[in-house]
Amino acid sequence: MSKIIVVTSGKGGVGKTTTSASFASGLAMRGHSAVVIDFDVGLRNLDLIMGCERRVVYDFVNVINGEATLRQALIKDKRLDNLSILPASQTRDKEALSKEGVGKVLDELRESFDYIVCDSPAGIERGALMALYYADEALVVTNPEVSSVRDSDRILGILGAKSKRAEEGAEPIREHLLVTRYSPQRVDQGEMLGVEDIRELLGIPLLGVVPESEAVLQASNAGVPVIHDSDSSSGQAYADAVARFLGEEVPMRFLEPEKKGFLKRIFGT
Amino acid sequence: MPAKAPPSRDLFDTAQQGEMPPAAELRGTVLPLPLLRVHEHDLAAVRRALESAVSGSSFFSHAPVVLDLSPLEEKMVPDFAALTALLRECRLIPVGVKEPPEAWREGILEAGLAIVEGGHEASPRTPSQTPPPAPSAPVPTPTLVVEQPVRSGQQIYARGGDLILLAAVNAGAEVIADGNIHVYAPLRGRALAGVQGNTSARIFVQTLEAELVAVAGVFRVFDEPGSNPCAGRSACIALRGEQLVIDELGRD
Ligand SMILES: Nc1ncnc2c1ncn2[C@@H]1O[C@H](COP(=O)(O)OP(=O)(O)O)[C@@H](O)[C@H]1O
Ligand SMILES: [Mg+2]
């Protein structure tokens, strides 16, 4: 039975698209078939992060409107042949994402993919509501700052009230906390919330902590999801999170400030 | 899943008119009006406190309020026109000032505000006003029990009874009851008990980290560190006279 995963947060710029790209890639690297959908109609950038922007011909809205088939619109990933991308449209307005239309496309995708990763736009408007409506699981992407935690809390309220599962009184969406852009130094200096505080405030299980890292920017400039950069801390953190999602026990890493100096040279980490 | 009552929007509606009313008619009513206690002459400070109290809350939006200026120094006559304008900007509708000093009266009336005397809220009714209830089986008051966290942007209203919360009320959330409110978890948002004017309603909290608490319209905003005497501890919040009192639970 395939699963629909929404990557959501309420707030913009926290790392949803970065996470969607790496998480979908990570699932594919583990041998599952996966598709990642950009719900950010008008501001699409998942295709840039995935490095397939030149190959976008048809998009999600074309499929909803019956102007193209799914086969025509899906783009195969360059690196992983069990991964596909369904890009958002650059021009259409958000009203194009109708509940029925989105539902039909997702049903069709369920037939061929194990995991359907929905990259939500920021905010709590139509695009964000449609991205989460059909979800079975939610990755709630949160940065270690009060405003981001507040917005995640709001989204959790919406997951619990406005999703299909909530409306039908079915088993609730499984919620996972993913703290990104984490900087242990700044937490130590009291400039940012610690991961334990965030978990406690939101009251949902922690799936992973992705440290703030240069590698993310380099990866998105290169159009290669950062999970492929297995030397980087953020790439490793995403691989850990995918493993945990698939049920493996992996200890949390990157929670302490990096040790500089001779220890680092000796141990090489 | 717990039932979520729709928020009340008709709290301050006036009484129903009789049939064929004259063009205008004065009627005596006892309407629950929130009392806004102002602690500072500094209007900028008042604005900050109000903005954090009212913003994000639909509950106080355009609510009529009676001003209690008793904490202010009598010698410094407040600028009532400026205060009125500020309250309106904060989406409150000031209707009068409660028991002002003699010297302020002129300024109050000039600003278009009423002078409100007495008003010891919800005084017990005399038997002649309320017939004794017919002997019948006691009607249990409904209690709304919520097991999930109440999250930012959510509002829960227990109409006609108590509200029990078994998980956190997060910052930006609002829990409201006509009766008492019990929070067996951290209260980080707002809690308003006795909103129909029940002055004996109370709020019981396991961990008080609230933004605002109110009983029968008398509210307290905790917008600055140190403004909450029971921060991070258990608390019972009740009205003593017209004062909102916050005591640690299990202490006298
Ligand atoms: N772990 C990280 N370390 C450093 N920068 C990051 C990290 N995660 C995201 N970013 C950067 O933050 C910005 C917003 O990321 P993005 O994934 O587009 O967020 P969203 O989709 O939530 O708006 C981008 O510039 C991205 O490179
Ligand atoms: Mg994005």
Side-chain angles (χ1 to χ4, degrees), chain A residues 45-63:
Chain A
N45 54 19
L46 179 70
D47 47 338
L48 287 169
I49 307 285
M50 301 290 300
C52 66
E53 69 279 7
R54 285 160 191 266
R55 289 186 287 148
V56 176
V57 181
Y58 295 108
D59 59 54
F60 191 17
V61 172
N62 290 137
V63 181

Side-chain angles (χ1 to χ4, degrees), chain A residues 9 11-19 45 49 119-120 180-182 210-214 216-217 220 234 238:
Chain A
S9 72
K11 200 172 161 69
V14 296
K16 290 180 294 296
T17 301
T18 304
T19 298
N45 54 19
I49 307 285
D119 178 21
S120 173
T180 62
R181 311 202 67 167
Y182 196 67
V210 180
E212 173 83 18
S213 122
E214 281 278 312
V216 173
L217 188 61
S220 52
S234 43
Y238 276 118

Side-chain angles (χ1 to χ4, degrees), chain B residues 146-234:
Chain B
V146 176
E147 293 177 33
Q148 265 75 39
V150 187
R151 299 195 178 273
S152 181
Q154 293 183 324
Q155 189 187 51
I156 292 188
Y157 177 33
R159 189 187 290 272
D162 289 358
L163 177 57
I164 297 182
L165 300 131
L166 300 178
V169 176
N170 277 350
E174 202 165 51
V175 292
I176 303 163
D178 289 343
N180 305 296
I181 297 177
H182 303 250
V183 190
Y184 299 107
L187 170 64
R188 305 185 179 112
R190 297 147 193 259
L192 300 90
V195 288
Q196 301 275 10
N198 178 1
T199 52
S200 55
R202 287 192 264 182
I203 302 171
F204 305 90
V205 181
Q206 192 168 67
T207 313
L208 183 61
E209 297 165 15
E211 297 166 331
L212 174 149
V213 291
V215 174
V218 181
F219 67 84
R220 221 16 216 273
V221 184
F222 304 114
D223 59 339
E224 267 155 49
S227 60
N228 181 347
C230 281
R233 284 180 281 167
S234 68

Side-chain angles (χ1 to χ4, degrees), chain A residues 150 152-154 156-158 160-161 166 175 200-204, chain B residues 1 4 149-154 168 170-172 186 188 209 211:
Chain A
R150 175 78 74 103
S152 293
D153 194 49
R154 211 181 179 109
L156 283 164
I158 292 171
E175 299 153 343
E200 151 99 34
L201 282 166
L202 292 177
I204 60 171
Chain B
M1 290 288 276
K4 282 183 188 160
V150 187
R151 299 195 178 273
S152 181
Q154 293 183 324
N170 277 350
R188 305 185 179 112
E209 297 165 15
E211 297 166 331

Side-chain angles (χ1 to χ4, degrees), chain A residues 22-42:
Chain A
S22 277
F23 210 82
S25 300
L27 290 166
M29 289 156 103
R30 296 305 207 91
H32 301 281
S33 60
V35 56
V36 53
I37 310 179
D38 191 348
F39 275 77
D40 207 342
V41 172

Side-chain angles (χ1 to χ4, degrees), chain B residues 64-81:
Chain B
V65 290
V66 172
L67 301 175
D68 175 3
L69 305 180
S70 56
L72 301 187
E73 270 179 67
E74 189 177 330
K75 284 200 211 87
M76 292 172 63
V77 183
D79 181 346
F80 290 105

